[in-house]
mmCIF file of all heavy atoms in Angstrom:
data_model
loop_
_atom_site.group_PDB
_atom_site.id
_atom_site.type_symbol
_atom_site.label_atom_id
_atom_site.label_comp_id
_atom_site.label_asym_id
_atom_site.label_seq_id
_atom_site.Cartn_x
_atom_site.Cartn_y
_atom_site.Cartn_z
ATOM 1 N N PHE A 62 22.204 12.589 1.758
ATOM 2 C CA PHE A 62 23.303 13.588 1.755
ATOM 3 C C PHE A 62 24.126 13.552 0.467
ATOM 4 O O PHE A 62 24.278 14.584 -0.193
ATOM 5 C CB PHE A 62 24.208 13.398 2.957
ATOM 6 C CG PHE A 62 25.271 14.440 3.057
ATOM 7 C CD1 PHE A 62 25.042 15.682 3.616
ATOM 8 C CD2 PHE A 62 26.569 14.178 2.529
ATOM 9 C CE1 PHE A 62 26.052 16.644 3.628
ATOM 10 C CE2 PHE A 62 27.558 15.124 2.578
ATOM 11 C CZ PHE A 62 27.306 16.368 3.122
ATOM 12 N N PRO A 63 24.713 12.397 0.063
ATOM 13 C CA PRO A 63 25.473 12.419 -1.166
ATOM 14 C C PRO A 63 24.609 12.738 -2.394
ATOM 15 O O PRO A 63 25.098 13.331 -3.345
ATOM 16 C CB PRO A 63 26.062 11.024 -1.257
ATOM 17 C CG PRO A 63 25.308 10.150 -0.292
ATOM 18 C CD PRO A 63 24.817 11.100 0.776
ATOM 19 N N PHE A 64 23.332 12.415 -2.347
ATOM 20 C CA PHE A 64 22.453 12.789 -3.465
ATOM 21 C C PHE A 64 22.357 14.299 -3.540
ATOM 22 O O PHE A 64 22.476 14.876 -4.649
ATOM 23 C CB PHE A 64 21.040 12.180 -3.233
ATOM 24 C CG PHE A 64 20.035 12.721 -4.250
ATOM 25 C CD1 PHE A 64 19.976 12.131 -5.502
ATOM 26 C CD2 PHE A 64 19.208 13.747 -3.947
ATOM 27 C CE1 PHE A 64 19.050 12.617 -6.447
ATOM 28 C CE2 PHE A 64 18.301 14.220 -4.855
ATOM 29 C CZ PHE A 64 18.235 13.650 -6.125
ATOM 30 N N MET A 65 22.159 14.971 -2.443
ATOM 31 C CA MET A 65 22.077 16.444 -2.451
ATOM 32 C C MET A 65 23.389 17.025 -2.992
ATOM 33 O O MET A 65 23.334 17.944 -3.826
ATOM 34 C CB MET A 65 21.821 16.992 -1.049
ATOM 35 C CG MET A 65 20.421 16.726 -0.516
ATOM 36 S SD MET A 65 20.040 17.609 1.024
ATOM 37 C CE MET A 65 21.182 16.798 2.168
ATOM 38 N N VAL A 66 24.488 16.573 -2.521
ATOM 39 C CA VAL A 66 25.795 17.091 -2.956
ATOM 40 C C VAL A 66 25.952 16.884 -4.437
ATOM 41 O O VAL A 66 26.472 17.775 -5.175
ATOM 42 C CB VAL A 66 26.931 16.400 -2.155
ATOM 43 C CG1 VAL A 66 28.271 16.818 -2.732
ATOM 44 C CG2 VAL A 66 26.853 16.815 -0.674
ATOM 45 N N SER A 67 25.508 15.715 -4.945
ATOM 46 C CA SER A 67 25.666 15.452 -6.397
ATOM 47 C C SER A 67 24.809 16.386 -7.227
ATOM 48 O O SER A 67 25.071 16.564 -8.423
ATOM 49 C CB SER A 67 25.250 13.995 -6.671
ATOM 50 O OG SER A 67 23.835 13.811 -6.584
ATOM 51 N N ARG A 68 23.747 16.986 -6.615
ATOM 52 C CA ARG A 68 22.892 17.946 -7.317
ATOM 53 C C ARG A 68 23.292 19.376 -7.026
ATOM 54 O O ARG A 68 22.536 20.287 -7.321
ATOM 55 C CB ARG A 68 21.433 17.692 -6.906
ATOM 56 C CG ARG A 68 20.858 16.336 -7.296
ATOM 57 C CD ARG A 68 20.986 16.058 -8.796
ATOM 58 N NE ARG A 68 20.181 14.890 -9.202
ATOM 59 C CZ ARG A 68 20.613 13.649 -9.191
ATOM 60 N NH1 ARG A 68 21.850 13.370 -8.752
ATOM 61 N NH2 ARG A 68 19.824 12.665 -9.626
ATOM 62 N N GLY A 69 24.482 19.571 -6.440
ATOM 63 C CA GLY A 69 24.940 20.903 -6.174
ATOM 64 C C GLY A 69 24.382 21.612 -4.952
ATOM 65 O O GLY A 69 24.522 22.784 -4.782
ATOM 66 N N VAL A 70 23.739 20.828 -4.065
ATOM 67 C CA VAL A 70 23.173 21.389 -2.832
ATOM 68 C C VAL A 70 24.155 21.090 -1.716
ATOM 69 O O VAL A 70 24.536 19.934 -1.457
ATOM 70 C CB VAL A 70 21.815 20.720 -2.491
ATOM 71 C CG1 VAL A 70 21.278 21.202 -1.159
ATOM 72 C CG2 VAL A 70 20.823 21.043 -3.626
ATOM 73 N N SER A 71 24.583 22.139 -0.982
ATOM 74 C CA SER A 71 25.552 22.018 0.059
ATOM 75 C C SER A 71 24.999 22.447 1.408
ATOM 76 O O SER A 71 24.982 23.611 1.762
ATOM 77 C CB SER A 71 26.799 22.878 -0.272
ATOM 78 O OG SER A 71 27.778 22.734 0.718
ATOM 79 N N PRO A 72 24.449 21.480 2.202
ATOM 80 C CA PRO A 72 23.874 21.835 3.487
ATOM 81 C C PRO A 72 24.944 22.222 4.502
ATOM 82 O O PRO A 72 26.094 21.832 4.376
ATOM 83 C CB PRO A 72 23.125 20.534 3.899
ATOM 84 C CG PRO A 72 23.848 19.448 3.153
ATOM 85 C CD PRO A 72 24.329 20.039 1.897
ATOM 86 N N CYS A 73 24.569 22.963 5.502
ATOM 87 C CA CYS A 73 25.455 23.349 6.568
ATOM 88 C C CYS A 73 25.770 22.125 7.439
ATOM 89 O O CYS A 73 26.914 21.881 7.804
ATOM 90 C CB CYS A 73 24.852 24.420 7.425
ATOM 91 S SG CYS A 73 25.742 24.842 8.925
ATOM 92 N N SER A 74 24.743 21.337 7.773
ATOM 93 C CA SER A 74 24.929 20.156 8.575
ATOM 94 C C SER A 74 23.807 19.171 8.250
ATOM 95 O O SER A 74 22.705 19.550 7.779
ATOM 96 C CB SER A 74 24.870 20.478 10.089
ATOM 97 O OG SER A 74 23.643 20.959 10.491
ATOM 98 N N TYR A 75 24.078 17.928 8.496
ATOM 99 C CA TYR A 75 23.125 16.836 8.211
ATOM 100 C C TYR A 75 23.174 15.844 9.340
ATOM 101 O O TYR A 75 24.247 15.334 9.655
ATOM 102 C CB TYR A 75 23.489 16.209 6.862
ATOM 103 C CG TYR A 75 22.753 14.887 6.570
ATOM 104 C CD1 TYR A 75 21.551 14.886 5.824
ATOM 105 C CD2 TYR A 75 23.256 13.708 7.008
ATOM 106 C CE1 TYR A 75 20.912 13.732 5.548
ATOM 107 C CE2 TYR A 75 22.623 12.510 6.722
ATOM 108 C CZ TYR A 75 21.432 12.530 6.011
ATOM 109 O OH TYR A 75 20.793 11.346 5.750
ATOM 110 N N MET A 76 22.014 15.593 9.944
ATOM 111 C CA MET A 76 21.874 14.599 11.007
ATOM 112 C C MET A 76 20.926 13.495 10.505
ATOM 113 O O MET A 76 19.786 13.810 10.152
ATOM 114 C CB MET A 76 21.329 15.250 12.250
ATOM 115 C CG MET A 76 21.039 14.275 13.364
ATOM 116 S SD MET A 76 22.545 13.695 14.142
ATOM 117 C CE MET A 76 21.861 12.698 15.468
ATOM 118 N N GLY A 77 21.396 12.256 10.483
ATOM 119 C CA GLY A 77 20.516 11.149 10.114
ATOM 120 C C GLY A 77 20.235 10.310 11.314
ATOM 121 O O GLY A 77 21.122 9.928 12.077
ATOM 122 N N VAL A 78 18.934 9.997 11.531
ATOM 123 C CA VAL A 78 18.550 9.108 12.607
ATOM 124 C C VAL A 78 17.725 7.925 11.999
ATOM 125 O O VAL A 78 16.995 8.131 11.061
ATOM 126 C CB VAL A 78 17.737 9.814 13.718
ATOM 127 C CG1 VAL A 78 18.554 10.891 14.377
ATOM 128 C CG2 VAL A 78 16.430 10.415 13.147
ATOM 129 N N ASP A 79 17.916 6.771 12.587
ATOM 130 C CA ASP A 79 17.215 5.592 12.145
ATOM 131 C C ASP A 79 17.022 4.645 13.334
ATOM 132 O O ASP A 79 17.840 4.638 14.250
ATOM 133 C CB ASP A 79 17.945 4.869 11.015
ATOM 134 C CG ASP A 79 17.039 4.004 10.191
ATOM 135 O OD1 ASP A 79 16.642 2.924 10.632
ATOM 136 O OD2 ASP A 79 16.693 4.424 9.059
ATOM 137 N N LEU A 80 15.967 3.858 13.315
ATOM 138 C CA LEU A 80 15.728 2.887 14.359
ATOM 139 C C LEU A 80 16.693 1.723 14.331
ATOM 140 O O LEU A 80 16.944 1.090 15.365
ATOM 141 C CB LEU A 80 14.278 2.367 14.259
ATOM 142 C CG LEU A 80 13.158 3.262 14.765
ATOM 143 C CD1 LEU A 80 11.830 2.680 14.395
ATOM 144 C CD2 LEU A 80 13.264 3.461 16.261
ATOM 145 N N LEU A 81 17.203 1.419 13.147
ATOM 146 C CA LEU A 81 18.067 0.246 12.995
ATOM 147 C C LEU A 81 19.540 0.607 13.133
ATOM 148 O O LEU A 81 20.067 1.372 12.327
ATOM 149 C CB LEU A 81 17.822 -0.398 11.642
ATOM 150 C CG LEU A 81 16.711 -1.485 11.618
ATOM 151 C CD1 LEU A 81 15.370 -0.817 11.825
ATOM 152 C CD2 LEU A 81 16.749 -2.282 10.341
ATOM 153 N N GLU A 82 20.183 0.024 14.132
ATOM 154 C CA GLU A 82 21.596 0.216 14.344
ATOM 155 C C GLU A 82 22.407 -0.231 13.106
ATOM 156 O O GLU A 82 23.431 0.362 12.733
ATOM 157 C CB GLU A 82 22.080 -0.544 15.554
ATOM 158 C CG GLU A 82 23.541 -0.421 15.887
ATOM 159 C CD GLU A 82 23.912 0.908 16.487
ATOM 160 O OE1 GLU A 82 23.016 1.585 17.105
ATOM 161 O OE2 GLU A 82 25.059 1.350 16.309
ATOM 162 N N GLU A 83 21.950 -1.314 12.466
ATOM 163 C CA GLU A 83 22.644 -1.808 11.289
ATOM 164 C C GLU A 83 22.714 -0.769 10.172
ATOM 165 O O GLU A 83 23.735 -0.599 9.499
ATOM 166 C CB GLU A 83 21.978 -3.089 10.785
ATOM 167 C CG GLU A 83 22.088 -4.312 11.659
ATOM 168 C CD GLU A 83 21.023 -4.363 12.770
ATOM 169 O OE1 GLU A 83 20.293 -3.340 12.939
ATOM 170 O OE2 GLU A 83 20.923 -5.376 13.416
ATOM 171 N N PHE A 84 21.618 -0.074 9.978
ATOM 172 C CA PHE A 84 21.578 0.966 8.957
ATOM 173 C C PHE A 84 22.479 2.152 9.345
ATOM 174 O O PHE A 84 23.164 2.726 8.478
ATOM 175 C CB PHE A 84 20.159 1.474 8.734
ATOM 176 C CG PHE A 84 19.247 0.487 8.019
ATOM 177 C CD1 PHE A 84 19.703 -0.751 7.594
ATOM 178 C CD2 PHE A 84 17.927 0.827 7.745
ATOM 179 C CE1 PHE A 84 18.902 -1.641 6.926
ATOM 180 C CE2 PHE A 84 17.094 -0.038 7.065
ATOM 181 C CZ PHE A 84 17.566 -1.291 6.667
ATOM 182 N N VAL A 85 22.462 2.499 10.597
ATOM 183 C CA VAL A 85 23.269 3.645 11.059
ATOM 184 C C VAL A 85 24.724 3.340 10.895
ATOM 185 O O VAL A 85 25.527 4.170 10.426
ATOM 186 C CB VAL A 85 22.920 3.956 12.535
ATOM 187 C CG1 VAL A 85 23.968 4.938 13.109
ATOM 188 C CG2 VAL A 85 21.533 4.558 12.643
#
Side-chain angles (χ1 to χ4, degrees):
F62 182 84
F64 172 82
M65 289 189 295
V66 172
S67 73
R68 298 303 193 272
V70 175
S71 181
C73 171
S74 65
Y75 168 93
M76 175 74 176
V78 297
D79 202 285
L80 283 171
L81 271 68
E82 181 74 27
E83 291 85 350
F84 287 0
V85 169

